[in-house]
Amino acid sequence: QHVYIPIIFSSGVDYIDAPTPYMMGLHSGVDTSTVTMDGVVVVDLEYNRITTTEDIPPIPESEHSFLRGEILKLLQPNVVAIDYMKINLGSMGDYSLRTATKSWGQDHDFQLRLIFLRFFAQIMSGYRNFIDNALPTGFNAQAFLKKRSRATNQPVESMLMIMQFIETQGFLDYLERCNNAEEFTNNLLDKLQDATGRGQSPLAIFPSHVADPEIITIADSEIEGSEPGNRHCYKSFPANARTEEQEEKRKSILALVGGASKQVPSSPAVRISGGPKAESLSPRERAAERERMVLDIKVKLQGLWLRLLRLGATEDPLSSFEYGTILALIESDAEGIGGSGFVECIREHIHSGWQCRLTDEQFIAVKELLKTAITLASSRDDVSTIRDALEVSAEMYRKDPNNVQDYVQRHLLSLSVWEELRFWDGYFEYLMENCSNKSTNYVTLVTAQLIVMATHMAGLGLPDIDSWNMIEKIAERNNLGYKQLIKLRALLTHLQQLRVGYWGVPIGKGQPLPSYSMASPRALDISDESEQPAEASVLGRSWVHSMFSRDRSLRASSFNRASDTKAGATAGKTDLAAAQKKTQTNMRILRGHTAAITALHCVTRKEVWDLVGDREDAGFFISGSTDCTVKVWDPSLRGSELRATLRGHTRTVRAISSDRGKIVSGGDDQSVIVWDKQAFKLLEELKGHDAPVTSVRMLSGERVLTASHDGTVKMWDVRTDTCVATVGRCQSAVLCMEYDDSTGILAAAGRDVLAHVWDIRSSKQMFKLQGHTKWIRSMRMTGETIITGSDDWTARVWSLTRGTCDAVLACHAGPILCVEYSPSDKGIITGSSDGLIRFWENEGGIKCVKNLTLHSASVLSISAGDHWLGIGAADNSMSLFHRPQERFGSFSNAGSKVAGWQLYRTPQKTSAVVRCIASDLDRKRICSGGRNGLLRLWDATTSI
């Protein structure tokens, strides 16, 4: 969004210095010498020259060549040879040639917009794979740039233009709309990328204005005296161009196939002929009759399929005439014409430009029809139908409540055909035979087809070991080297992790849900390395050892040994079944939100001045969601935990805080709302921010502190409903904030990579702490020390007295999402997107004394008390550590105080991805909010 002025008046030249995005036209004769022109790009149309006060990052070479070439073809078609246009534009060549002969008009405008759309589709190719709602920005920029670097063989440093683009507010707003919109079906960028991936013309993404033609079969004319080759004109389409005998035969065929006739002979000859004169037909006539019957079935299926997709919102597809007829055609046909025809009509519909989006009811109907078709095809050994059904199931999808695509393929796991190596062998041969580029290197060709197979296996949800065994056998038969095997194994593991990360571990035919918990009836001392889960590491070491070995027998048996190890571990865990069952009873699911949880706050005793334990609200959890509501939960009321639902926000709630009598929340609607905690009603709505609110904090004296993406930190007086002051300003969005009410010291940081420190009592800025090179996402202030965590994979310790960096904590392999100070041992704890938890101590210099690998996804929250430590991660697992008082003395002389921490238990994970965590260490409770809108409350007090 920007200001647009076609021609600005001469006296308004000062508007050029406006600090807002704009596009203005200015006559070249206007004097601009009095204007600073800071951050302005000047395009001189008279001399064809561009000047700027800042360096414009170069566009990547391949995309730059495409953009320049396509625009040149459109603007100067006579300069570019016709053959060159036909070759490079492909299926768009004819369209471009037609528009080139006309004067500039709407067709040229359309072509120009399409060129830039194709340019952005290339620049952001595959960006949807890196949308991660667990990250504050919603997008994993580092992983996206690394993927692009590998694909283009260009270093990440050379992609400055793309780096700046994905950090713009416009791109972040685009991602937000993608995530929050209930119906985001008109996204042309996504449609174009999908069409390009399927090899379709870019024009296929636009709706056709031509209605679907009605197809009527017309027989040859039988006009007397007509000669072969004569043209016959009809005033209208005839109602019935068949003879009476042909029409009767056609009706009998449709009646037999559709199951209308209950007395259908089982003889194949009668089924094919469809009439009483079957015995008099010759083999050629019988073949022609069968061909006509197949065509009739396919035409009928095509019409039924289109009508099934056009059913109204109030109609149930499973009880519709269309669904019943398609199912009858599939089930009543022993030769597979119905099943293969149904799959074929779906494939043709996809190739015609259908976007494959289904409603929930349509999704269920299509899934059941495909299951029936695949099951019957398996009994006939019809591999081609199974193969085609597998591919179309990977295209059709619905969207879950969080706007995430759920493909039909994921729901076909229960079919036994996927467990057969014979099917995948045949599918691999089919892919090799139909490869479009057979001139490429053989190893590359085989690897590409195995990647396609691995994608389908992961989409189905086949167990990782089973999938790899089949891929490895096919790869060895084709003499694939160990380097390609390692790449394939890494890809398959990555796909499985992505899938399990959102949907959880799939439950297939006879496949129990594996336990990822670390629950035990006794405390585990984290200093004992042998107590760490060894199953995954045994499998990993076995596989890596076998991959680098030249002994094929060792490689072939590597996964057998891993499977035996897993079986042994499972047997050993049966002794803990009773303890695990007891642990599971301490997990409660709190339902109420209808969309992803985006904010979670725990009301602590310190927050409400609960000195004697008589405050009812101490221990409450307060949650906010993309459903625009705030909910208050009381864990002490089992079965009826929801106390109140607060409605007032119009967009996603991002931050929550509270004190003895009030709750304050901020969200993407740029407003801050103060609620009465006793009456659960709206008291005040504080407006003043110009961007989404990221942090809120209730202070003493009826004051509220808020931070926003607009780069400001504001102080509000709730009693007067006014902004007292803007106490801090940053150059970009504020992502984290800390305030010490006793000293008046405020610290804030975010996207401008600086940590700002103010003394709000004297209204002055104390320091700008420089050192981080990327966004600062987490911050903790204790005494005269500030700890920050950044996307540059480091945490830093700063001194508030000197304004200097005392230490750089650089041992993580990913952005640091949370930092915490442990008051019991005066140590620092950091959590990162690499899933690691690191403990740091200051013994003659800060150093890392312990690494924990308890979690398989990003660590989102660390909360430390005097004797308890709560940790939550995006894989929906939670850890609770205890530090008994009696152990302090016994470890005082040891090298590390961290050895005193004891891990009590980690509850089982579920399928949802966690967005936020809150801990109540006083009552040993940890609560997580998932993308599925559910709260998972873990009460760890039992058996401790």
Side-chain angles (χ1 to χ4, degrees), residues 93-134:
D94 295 335
Y95 185 87
S96 297
L97 290 175
R98 290 197 298 271
T99 59
T101 60
K102 305 176 183 178
S103 59
W104 192 274
Q106 292 183 352
D107 288 340
H108 294 83
D109 284 338
F110 172 79
Q111 275 294 97
L112 186 61
R113 292 172 182 235
L114 183 57
I115 288 172
F116 276 92
L117 182 64
R118 293 169 64 194
F119 165 74
F120 274 102
Q122 291 184 16
I123 285 286
M124 300 305 296
S125 176
Y127 80 99
R128 285 175 290 176
N129 298 327
F130 300 93
I131 294 178
D132 186 356
N133 291 329

Side-chain angles (χ1 to χ4, degrees), residues 483-689:
K483 290 185 178 180
Q484 282 71 32
L485 281 174
I486 291 176
K487 292 179 181 179
L488 285 170
R489 189 65 182 100
L491 172 69
L492 184 62
T493 302
H494 177 67
L495 292 174
Q496 294 283 359
Q497 287 179 346
L498 290 177
R499 191 183 191 285
V500 173
Y502 187 85
W503 298 110
V505 181
I507 303 178
K509 184 178 180 180
Q511 179 186 355
L513 181 67
S515 171
Y516 285 82
S517 71
M518 295 179 59
S520 68
R522 63 183 181 87
L524 301 179
D525 195 326
I526 64 171
S527 64
D528 186 1
E529 295 291 343
S530 64
E531 296 294 337
Q532 300 298 324
E535 178 182 324
S537 61
V538 169
L539 176 60
R541 286 195 297 269
S542 173
W543 181 81
V544 172
H545 178 64
S546 65
M547 283 298 99
F548 285 95
S549 172
R550 298 186 180 273
D551 186 357
R552 286 184 175 271
S553 62
L554 179 60
R555 274 177 39 195
S557 61
S558 63
F559 277 93
N560 294 333
R561 292 198 305 272
S563 300
D564 294 340
T565 303
K566 184 176 181 180
T570 304
K573 289 180 179 179
T574 56
D575 296 336
L576 301 178
Q580 289 181 349
K581 185 175 181 180
K582 187 172 184 179
T583 302
Q584 292 174 5
T585 60
N586 298 332
M587 184 63 61
R588 284 181 275 171
I589 303 299
L590 310 183
R591 305 175 186 274
H593 286 290
T594 59
I597 310 296
T598 51
L600 193 57
H601 174 73
C602 177
V603 181
T604 63
R605 295 182 61 179
K606 180 179 179 181
E607 194 173 86
V608 295
W609 298 78
D610 185 15
L611 302 179
V612 295
D614 60 347
R615 289 285 304 186
E616 179 189 10
D617 55 344
F620 279 15
F621 287 96
I622 309 173
S623 59
S625 167
T626 57
D627 63 9
C628 308
T629 65
V630 176
K631 294 184 181 291
V632 182
W633 310 85
D634 184 358
S636 64
L637 303 176
R638 283 187 171 270
S640 56
E641 291 87 353
L642 181 60
R643 289 288 298 268
T645 298
L646 311 179
R647 293 181 172 86
H649 286 283
T650 58
R651 294 190 65 186
T652 301
V653 180
R654 297 290 180 184
I656 299 173
S657 182
S658 71
D659 64 2
R660 291 175 64 89
K662 295 179 179 61
I663 298 173
V664 60
S665 59
D668 288 354
D669 54 7
Q670 305 178 12
S671 66
V672 178
I673 298 181
V674 182
W675 315 84
D676 188 320
K677 187 187 287 187
Q678 307 301 324
F680 298 119
K681 65 179 182 180
L682 190 150
L683 292 179
E684 305 289 349
E685 185 172 3
L686 312 177
K687 287 187 174 293
H689 284 293

Side-chain angles (χ1 to χ4, degrees), residues 517-527 531-532 576 579-580 582-584 586 839 852 854-855 867-871 878-887 899-908 921 924-926 938-944:
S517 71
M518 295 179 59
S520 68
R522 63 183 181 87
L524 301 179
D525 195 326
I526 64 171
S527 64
E531 296 294 337
Q532 300 298 324
L576 301 178
Q580 289 181 349
K582 187 172 184 179
T583 302
Q584 292 174 5
N586 298 332
F839 291 80
L852 290 182
L854 298 177
H855 303 283
H867 309 301
W868 292 93
L869 174 67
I871 297 175
M878 296 169 275
S879 308
L880 188 64
F881 295 82
H882 186 216
R883 188 180 178 88
Q885 288 180 314
E886 59 272 19
R887 288 208 172 194
W901 286 113
Q902 294 178 344
L903 171 64
Y904 266 85
R905 65 193 76 229
T906 300
Q908 289 186 338
L921 297 181
K924 293 78 178 176
R925 292 178 181 141
I926 304 179
W938 178 38
D939 191 342
T941 56
T942 304
S943 300
I944 289 185

Side-chain angles (χ1 to χ4, degrees), residues 10 63 232 275 532 651 746 876:
S10 301
E63 286 79 6
H232 301 280
Q532 300 298 324
R651 294 190 65 186
L746 168 68
N876 211 357

Side-chain angles (χ1 to χ4, degrees), residues 133-210:
N133 291 329
L135 298 177
T137 61
F139 187 74
N140 193 334
Q142 291 182 342
F144 172 74
L145 293 174
K146 287 182 180 179
K147 171 258 180 185
R148 181 178 171 82
S149 174
R150 290 192 297 269
T152 60
N153 292 322
Q154 297 292 328
V156 175
E157 292 75 15
S158 65
M159 302 177 187
L160 183 60
M161 174 263 188
I162 302 178
M163 294 171 64
Q164 292 186 4
F165 172 70
I166 61 182
E167 291 178 359
T168 59
Q169 188 64 39
F171 180 68
L172 297 177
D173 289 343
Y174 167 79
L175 293 179
E176 189 70 24
R177 292 196 304 273
C178 291
N179 291 333
N180 291 342
E182 295 180 359
E183 293 292 335
F184 202 65
T185 57
N186 295 323
N187 189 334
L188 291 180
L189 182 64
D190 290 356
K191 290 182 179 181
L192 180 58
Q193 290 183 345
D194 292 340
T196 304
R198 292 194 295 265
Q200 295 178 342
S201 166
L203 297 175
I205 68 175
F206 300 99
S208 174
H209 298 290
V210 181

Side-chain angles (χ1 to χ4, degrees), residues 135-136 142 735-736 772 774-780 787-797 807-820 828-838 840 858-862:
L135 298 177
Q142 291 182 342
L735 302 179
C736 51
H772 286 296
K774 293 187 178 180
W775 295 2
I776 300 174
R777 296 190 182 273
S778 55
M779 174 183 289
R780 185 69 70 234
I787 309 165
T788 57
S790 169
D791 279 2
D792 61 10
W793 298 10
T794 68
R796 290 177 179 260
V797 181
V808 178
L809 315 182
C811 286
H812 282 285
I816 295 180
L817 305 180
C818 50
V819 295
E820 179 62 300
I828 297 172
I829 308 167
T830 57
S832 167
S833 62
D834 60 9
L836 294 180
I837 305 164
R838 295 185 182 270
W840 309 79
S858 301
V859 178
L860 302 180
S861 171
I862 301 177

